Amino acid sequence: MNIRGYQWSVLKKLLKQRFTELSDEDLVFERGKERELYVRLERKTGKSEEDVARIIKGMQQAYLQQTTLL
């Protein structure tokens, strides 16, 4: 996983919109502890590791596209 801190505030909001069962505690991001974040997301959403990675990657790509168009 490759999450940049400046992107996380945006990604966190998008994840909370898509998965209303996620809390702020579930979405705590600490550099070097990305795996722990993934495990929390897998447990709370019922998605596989691959699905979580795909969802986050898709959100990152959409975010990057949006920022380059501005």
Side-chain angles (χ1 to χ4, degrees):
M1 169 180 8
N2 187 14
I3 296 176
R4 293 178 180 89
Y6 69 90
Q7 290 177 342
W8 187 242
S9 62
V10 174
L11 294 174
K12 181 167 64 170
K13 289 177 188 175
L14 294 172
L15 285 165
K16 280 184 86 170
Q17 287 175 356
R18 182 162 179 181
F19 301 102
T20 57
E21 65 269 29
L22 294 175
S23 69
D24 288 332
E25 287 182 4
D26 296 325
L27 294 166
V28 170
F29 170 72
E30 294 180 53
R31 178 119 0 255
K33 295 186 177 184
E34 290 89 350
R35 181 69 192 128
E36 292 175 18
L37 171 64
Y38 264 54
V39 170
R40 286 193 307 269
L41 294 176
E42 290 168 35
R43 279 192 213 133
K44 289 293 279 217
T45 64
K47 302 286 183 188
S48 70
E49 180 178 354
E50 295 81 19
D51 286 340
V52 170
R54 184 181 44 77
I55 290 165
I56 290 175
K57 185 176 181 177
M59 288 178 173
Q60 284 177 311
Q61 289 173 340
Y63 170 77
L64 290 174
Q65 278 183 330
Q66 183 182 30
T67 58
T68 56
L69 293 176
L70 298 176

